[in-house]
Amino acid sequence: MSAELRRIFCIGDVHGQYAMLDRLLHRLDAIDANAELWFVGDLVNRGPDSASVVRRVRELGSRATTVLGNHDLSVLAMAADASKRVYADTGVARLLAADDASELLDWLRTRPLLHQSVETGWTMVHAGIPKGWDLTTAAACAAEFEQALTADDWQTTLNDLYGNEPTAWAESLTGIRRLRYIANALTRQRFCHAGSGDLDLSEKGRISDAPATLTPWFAEPNRKTHNERIVFGHWSMLGRIAWPEHNAWCIDTGASWQGVLSALELRQHPRLIQAD
């Protein structure tokens, strides 16, 4: 099988659940030990062993492609500012104190926010893509943030990043407000305001419980990426994996909330595989 056509397994939010990840990787290797492994972000936080998860994924080398999630960014913010470490759970505290912490965190900091495979027609992002962005715009905006995160003053970017504004995209946005919108859209988005597509970052639950004025980002009419196949995580309360009518597949099955860790084989008819 050629490199372009080899299998791709996309793995959901791991959240420090190393034992689950180990079991799932062994199962996937039994199916195809040469398959590409995509991770939708949130490798860390909540679970007991964030350090081992990052080590394991890093050791996969070129087999693995990982996009950043909001929890990954939160841990990097703790690394950038020691005063934020009071919010670290036990697993994250061990990661930050590990002998190889700088190597692990530098590796994490250089991961992308979006990954697109032209050959397969699949795009991976942690949370979502705004209604008004096509893939070219999404990739360019992701690259802007990635550049800021790898710059010499990356700590300043993370220190100033947090907040829910702005909720609407404008090409005229500059500085930290532009970077904040990009990060929120790609790593935190679940719902948007129906019609406008403006971000709503307060509603986090089930679609059935949300106000009628909100819609899931992927179900917003006239979304520019409607014809693109998108796999994402972040939304364990969504309750379904497949939304094929919207070309969207959510692979967060709640590993950090007594759920399971899942992988989706990315093909014409995606196949779900879960850890035992």
Side-chain angles (χ1 to χ4, degrees), residues 136-166:
T136 299
T137 302
C141 288
E144 283 186 47
F145 189 87
E146 292 155 19
Q147 184 175 10
L149 202 56
T150 55
D152 291 341
D153 62 346
W154 65 273
Q155 295 96 334
T156 300
T157 296
L158 286 172
N159 285 338
D160 296 338
L161 186 65
Y162 290 93
N164 292 343
E165 299 288 339

mmCIF file of all heavy atoms in Angstrom, residues 136-166:
data_model
loop_
_atom_site.group_PDB
_atom_site.id
_atom_site.type_symbol
_atom_site.label_atom_id
_atom_site.label_comp_id
_atom_site.label_asym_id
_atom_site.label_seq_id
_atom_site.Cartn_x
_atom_site.Cartn_y
_atom_site.Cartn_z
ATOM 1 N N THR A 136 -9.007 27.051 2.938
ATOM 2 C CA THR A 136 -7.826 27.875 2.710
ATOM 3 C C THR A 136 -7.688 28.924 3.800
ATOM 4 O O THR A 136 -6.596 29.133 4.354
ATOM 5 C CB THR A 136 -7.907 28.550 1.327
ATOM 6 O OG1 THR A 136 -7.968 27.542 0.317
ATOM 7 C CG2 THR A 136 -6.701 29.440 1.087
ATOM 8 N N THR A 137 -8.787 29.576 4.142
ATOM 9 C CA THR A 137 -8.767 30.578 5.214
ATOM 10 C C THR A 137 -8.466 29.930 6.557
ATOM 11 O O THR A 137 -7.665 30.450 7.351
ATOM 12 C CB THR A 137 -10.109 31.321 5.277
ATOM 13 O OG1 THR A 137 -10.367 31.943 4.024
ATOM 14 C CG2 THR A 137 -10.107 32.366 6.381
ATOM 15 N N ALA A 138 -9.097 28.791 6.823
ATOM 16 C CA ALA A 138 -8.873 28.100 8.097
ATOM 17 C C ALA A 138 -7.403 27.711 8.262
ATOM 18 O O ALA A 138 -6.812 27.892 9.338
ATOM 19 C CB ALA A 138 -9.765 26.870 8.189
ATOM 20 N N ALA A 139 -6.819 27.178 7.198
ATOM 21 C CA ALA A 139 -5.421 26.775 7.265
ATOM 22 C C ALA A 139 -4.500 27.975 7.456
ATOM 23 O O ALA A 139 -3.521 27.918 8.219
ATOM 24 C CB ALA A 139 -5.036 26.008 6.002
ATOM 25 N N ALA A 140 -4.801 29.078 6.781
ATOM 26 C CA ALA A 140 -3.979 30.276 6.919
ATOM 27 C C ALA A 140 -4.074 30.859 8.324
ATOM 28 O O ALA A 140 -3.065 31.278 8.910
ATOM 29 C CB ALA A 140 -4.401 31.319 5.881
ATOM 30 N N CYS A 141 -5.264 30.871 8.885
ATOM 31 C CA CYS A 141 -5.443 31.393 10.245
ATOM 32 C C CYS A 141 -4.765 30.480 11.270
ATOM 33 O O CYS A 141 -4.147 30.964 12.227
ATOM 34 C CB CYS A 141 -6.924 31.555 10.552
ATOM 35 S SG CYS A 141 -7.709 32.930 9.672
ATOM 36 N N ALA A 142 -4.903 29.176 11.076
ATOM 37 C CA ALA A 142 -4.213 28.235 11.964
ATOM 38 C C ALA A 142 -2.711 28.479 11.920
ATOM 39 O O ALA A 142 -2.032 28.484 12.961
ATOM 40 C CB ALA A 142 -4.538 26.800 11.563
ATOM 41 N N ALA A 143 -2.167 28.702 10.728
ATOM 42 C CA ALA A 143 -0.725 28.939 10.587
ATOM 43 C C ALA A 143 -0.299 30.218 11.300
ATOM 44 O O ALA A 143 0.808 30.284 11.859
ATOM 45 C CB ALA A 143 -0.349 28.999 9.110
ATOM 46 N N GLU A 144 -1.153 31.232 11.308
ATOM 47 C CA GLU A 144 -0.848 32.469 12.038
ATOM 48 C C GLU A 144 -0.655 32.178 13.526
ATOM 49 O O GLU A 144 0.291 32.659 14.157
ATOM 50 C CB GLU A 144 -1.976 33.483 11.878
ATOM 51 C CG GLU A 144 -2.018 34.210 10.569
ATOM 52 C CD GLU A 144 -3.089 35.289 10.586
ATOM 53 O OE1 GLU A 144 -3.155 36.066 11.566
ATOM 54 O OE2 GLU A 144 -3.881 35.345 9.627
ATOM 55 N N PHE A 145 -1.588 31.406 14.066
ATOM 56 C CA PHE A 145 -1.490 31.099 15.491
ATOM 57 C C PHE A 145 -0.276 30.220 15.770
ATOM 58 O O PHE A 145 0.421 30.416 16.771
ATOM 59 C CB PHE A 145 -2.763 30.405 15.978
ATOM 60 C CG PHE A 145 -2.814 30.255 17.473
ATOM 61 C CD1 PHE A 145 -3.323 31.263 18.262
ATOM 62 C CD2 PHE A 145 -2.329 29.109 18.093
ATOM 63 C CE1 PHE A 145 -3.350 31.142 19.648
ATOM 64 C CE2 PHE A 145 -2.352 28.976 19.463
ATOM 65 C CZ PHE A 145 -2.869 29.994 20.246
ATOM 66 N N GLU A 146 -0.026 29.253 14.916
ATOM 67 C CA GLU A 146 1.129 28.373 15.098
ATOM 68 C C GLU A 146 2.435 29.167 15.091
ATOM 69 O O GLU A 146 3.352 28.889 15.880
ATOM 70 C CB GLU A 146 1.149 27.316 13.989
ATOM 71 C CG GLU A 146 0.002 26.324 14.084
ATOM 72 C CD GLU A 146 -0.345 25.687 12.745
ATOM 73 O OE1 GLU A 146 0.509 25.729 11.817
ATOM 74 O OE2 GLU A 146 -1.463 25.158 12.613
ATOM 75 N N GLN A 147 2.515 30.177 14.237
ATOM 76 C CA GLN A 147 3.702 31.015 14.194
ATOM 77 C C GLN A 147 3.882 31.771 15.505
ATOM 78 O O GLN A 147 4.995 31.873 16.036
ATOM 79 C CB GLN A 147 3.608 32.002 13.024
ATOM 80 C CG GLN A 147 4.852 32.855 12.837
ATOM 81 C CD GLN A 147 4.770 33.740 11.608
ATOM 82 O OE1 GLN A 147 3.721 33.859 10.977
ATOM 83 N NE2 GLN A 147 5.873 34.370 11.258
ATOM 84 N N ALA A 148 2.777 32.291 16.053
ATOM 85 C CA ALA A 148 2.854 33.007 17.328
ATOM 86 C C ALA A 148 3.264 32.075 18.459
ATOM 87 O O ALA A 148 3.989 32.473 19.379
ATOM 88 C CB ALA A 148 1.509 33.659 17.641
ATOM 89 N N LEU A 149 2.814 30.836 18.401
ATOM 90 C CA LEU A 149 3.090 29.887 19.471
ATOM 91 C C LEU A 149 4.528 29.370 19.433
ATOM 92 O O LEU A 149 5.012 28.820 20.425
ATOM 93 C CB LEU A 149 2.101 28.718 19.380
ATOM 94 C CG LEU A 149 1.852 27.900 20.647
ATOM 95 C CD1 LEU A 149 1.389 28.792 21.790
ATOM 96 C CD2 LEU A 149 0.832 26.806 20.383
ATOM 97 N N THR A 150 5.196 29.533 18.315
ATOM 98 C CA THR A 150 6.584 29.090 18.212
ATOM 99 C C THR A 150 7.563 30.268 18.209
ATOM 100 O O THR A 150 8.769 30.059 18.084
ATOM 101 C CB THR A 150 6.812 28.246 16.951
ATOM 102 O OG1 THR A 150 6.385 28.980 15.794
ATOM 103 C CG2 THR A 150 6.018 26.947 17.030
ATOM 104 N N ALA A 151 7.045 31.490 18.341
ATOM 105 C CA ALA A 151 7.901 32.668 18.394
ATOM 106 C C ALA A 151 8.587 32.775 19.748
ATOM 107 O O ALA A 151 8.212 32.109 20.723
ATOM 108 C CB ALA A 151 7.069 33.923 18.121
ATOM 109 N N ASP A 152 9.593 33.635 19.824
ATOM 110 C CA ASP A 152 10.347 33.787 21.067
ATOM 111 C C ASP A 152 9.483 34.284 22.218
ATOM 112 O O ASP A 152 9.755 33.978 23.384
ATOM 113 C CB ASP A 152 11.524 34.758 20.853
ATOM 114 C CG ASP A 152 12.605 34.178 19.960
ATOM 115 O OD1 ASP A 152 12.642 32.939 19.795
ATOM 116 O OD2 ASP A 152 13.415 34.963 19.423
ATOM 117 N N ASP A 153 8.445 35.068 21.908
ATOM 118 C CA ASP A 153 7.572 35.615 22.957
ATOM 119 C C ASP A 153 6.275 34.821 23.097
ATOM 120 O O ASP A 153 5.229 35.364 23.434
ATOM 121 C CB ASP A 153 7.259 37.083 22.678
ATOM 122 C CG ASP A 153 6.515 37.284 21.360
ATOM 123 O OD1 ASP A 153 6.475 36.336 20.546
ATOM 124 O OD2 ASP A 153 5.970 38.389 21.150
ATOM 125 N N TRP A 154 6.341 33.497 22.867
ATOM 126 C CA TRP A 154 5.136 32.662 22.916
ATOM 127 C C TRP A 154 4.448 32.724 24.267
ATOM 128 O O TRP A 154 3.225 32.609 24.368
ATOM 129 C CB TRP A 154 5.472 31.218 22.553
ATOM 130 C CG TRP A 154 6.393 30.511 23.516
ATOM 131 C CD1 TRP A 154 7.755 30.511 23.499
ATOM 132 C CD2 TRP A 154 6.005 29.697 24.629
ATOM 133 N NE1 TRP A 154 8.251 29.740 24.527
ATOM 134 C CE2 TRP A 154 7.193 29.231 25.236
ATOM 135 C CE3 TRP A 154 4.775 29.307 25.166
ATOM 136 C CZ2 TRP A 154 7.190 28.404 26.359
ATOM 137 C CZ3 TRP A 154 4.761 28.488 26.285
ATOM 138 C CH2 TRP A 154 5.963 28.039 26.874
ATOM 139 N N GLN A 155 5.241 32.931 25.338
ATOM 140 C CA GLN A 155 4.630 32.999 26.672
ATOM 141 C C GLN A 155 3.663 34.175 26.774
ATOM 142 O O GLN A 155 2.594 34.066 27.379
ATOM 143 C CB GLN A 155 5.711 33.128 27.749
ATOM 144 C CG GLN A 155 6.626 31.921 27.863
ATOM 145 C CD GLN A 155 7.911 32.078 27.079
ATOM 146 O OE1 GLN A 155 7.954 32.823 26.089
ATOM 147 N NE2 GLN A 155 8.961 31.397 27.527
ATOM 148 N N THR A 156 4.025 35.309 26.175
ATOM 149 C CA THR A 156 3.150 36.483 26.212
ATOM 150 C C THR A 156 1.840 36.208 25.487
ATOM 151 O O THR A 156 0.761 36.587 25.954
ATOM 152 C CB THR A 156 3.860 37.682 25.567
ATOM 153 O OG1 THR A 156 5.061 37.950 26.290
ATOM 154 C CG2 THR A 156 2.977 38.921 25.585
ATOM 155 N N THR A 157 1.924 35.533 24.348
ATOM 156 C CA THR A 157 0.708 35.179 23.617
ATOM 157 C C THR A 157 -0.233 34.364 24.492
ATOM 158 O O THR A 157 -1.434 34.654 24.575
ATOM 159 C CB THR A 157 1.062 34.382 22.345
ATOM 160 O OG1 THR A 157 1.818 35.215 21.470
ATOM 161 C CG2 THR A 157 -0.189 33.890 21.636
ATOM 162 N N LEU A 158 0.288 33.359 25.171
ATOM 163 C CA LEU A 158 -0.570 32.506 25.994
ATOM 164 C C LEU A 158 -1.078 33.238 27.234
ATOM 165 O O LEU A 158 -2.210 33.015 27.669
ATOM 166 C CB LEU A 158 0.191 31.240 26.391
ATOM 167 C CG LEU A 158 0.355 30.224 25.261
ATOM 168 C CD1 LEU A 158 1.282 29.097 25.686
ATOM 169 C CD2 LEU A 158 -0.985 29.660 24.817
ATOM 170 N N ASN A 159 -0.277 34.125 27.792
ATOM 171 C CA ASN A 159 -0.722 34.872 28.962
ATOM 172 C C ASN A 159 -1.893 35.792 28.638
ATOM 173 O O ASN A 159 -2.764 36.042 29.484
ATOM 174 C CB ASN A 159 0.436 35.703 29.537
ATOM 175 C CG ASN A 159 1.441 34.854 30.285
ATOM 176 O OD1 ASN A 159 1.123 33.754 30.736
ATOM 177 N ND2 ASN A 159 2.666 35.343 30.399
ATOM 178 N N ASP A 160 -1.931 36.294 27.401
ATOM 179 C CA ASP A 160 -2.976 37.243 27.012
ATOM 180 C C ASP A 160 -4.118 36.594 26.238
ATOM 181 O O ASP A 160 -5.054 37.275 25.818
ATOM 182 C CB ASP A 160 -2.364 38.350 26.132
ATOM 183 C CG ASP A 160 -1.333 39.192 26.873
ATOM 184 O OD1 ASP A 160 -1.387 39.215 28.119
ATOM 185 O OD2 ASP A 160 -0.476 39.799 26.208
ATOM 186 N N LEU A 161 -4.061 35.294 26.059
ATOM 187 C CA LEU A 161 -4.961 34.623 25.124
ATOM 188 C C LEU A 161 -6.386 34.488 25.615
ATOM 189 O O LEU A 161 -7.335 34.565 24.832
ATOM 190 C CB LEU A 161 -4.408 33.230 24.796
ATOM 191 C CG LEU A 161 -5.148 32.433 23.722
ATOM 192 C CD1 LEU A 161 -5.031 33.125 22.368
ATOM 193 C CD2 LEU A 161 -4.594 31.006 23.645
ATOM 194 N N TYR A 162 -6.588 34.314 26.904
ATOM 195 C CA TYR A 162 -7.872 33.803 27.383
ATOM 196 C C TYR A 162 -8.942 34.878 27.479
ATOM 197 O O TYR A 162 -8.700 35.994 27.898
ATOM 198 C CB TYR A 162 -7.666 33.054 28.703
ATOM 199 C CG TYR A 162 -6.929 31.768 28.412
ATOM 200 C CD1 TYR A 162 -5.534 31.714 28.487
ATOM 201 C CD2 TYR A 162 -7.600 30.650 27.937
ATOM 202 C CE1 TYR A 162 -4.853 30.554 28.135
ATOM 203 C CE2 TYR A 162 -6.927 29.497 27.589
ATOM 204 C CZ TYR A 162 -5.552 29.456 27.689
ATOM 205 O OH TYR A 162 -4.886 28.322 27.317
ATOM 206 N N GLY A 163 -10.133 34.495 27.048
ATOM 207 C CA GLY A 163 -11.294 35.368 27.016
ATOM 208 C C GLY A 163 -12.218 34.918 25.901
ATOM 209 O O GLY A 163 -11.826 34.138 25.023
ATOM 210 N N ASN A 164 -13.455 35.376 25.923
ATOM 211 C CA ASN A 164 -14.464 34.943 24.957
ATOM 212 C C ASN A 164 -14.704 35.941 23.822
ATOM 213 O O ASN A 164 -15.527 35.688 22.949
ATOM 214 C CB ASN A 164 -15.786 34.660 25.660
ATOM 215 C CG ASN A 164 -15.705 33.441 26.560
ATOM 216 O OD1 ASN A 164 -14.796 32.628 26.443
ATOM 217 N ND2 ASN A 164 -16.662 33.325 27.469
ATOM 218 N N GLU A 165 -14.016 37.043 23.848
ATOM 219 C CA GLU A 165 -14.183 38.071 22.820
ATOM 220 C C GLU A 165 -12.920 38.155 21.963
ATOM 221 O O GLU A 165 -11.814 37.981 22.483
ATOM 222 C CB GLU A 165 -14.459 39.431 23.474
ATOM 223 C CG GLU A 165 -15.731 39.473 24.309
ATOM 224 C CD GLU A 165 -16.993 39.453 23.464
ATOM 225 O OE1 GLU A 165 -16.903 39.800 22.259
ATOM 226 O OE2 GLU A 165 -18.050 39.085 23.987
ATOM 227 N N PRO A 166 -13.089 38.436 20.682
ATOM 228 C CA PRO A 166 -14.320 38.700 19.936
ATOM 229 C C PRO A 166 -15.036 37.407 19.546
ATOM 230 O O PRO A 166 -14.408 36.363 19.442
ATOM 231 C CB PRO A 166 -13.819 39.431 18.688
ATOM 232 C CG PRO A 166 -12.451 38.878 18.478
ATOM 233 C CD PRO A 166 -11.887 38.624 19.837
#
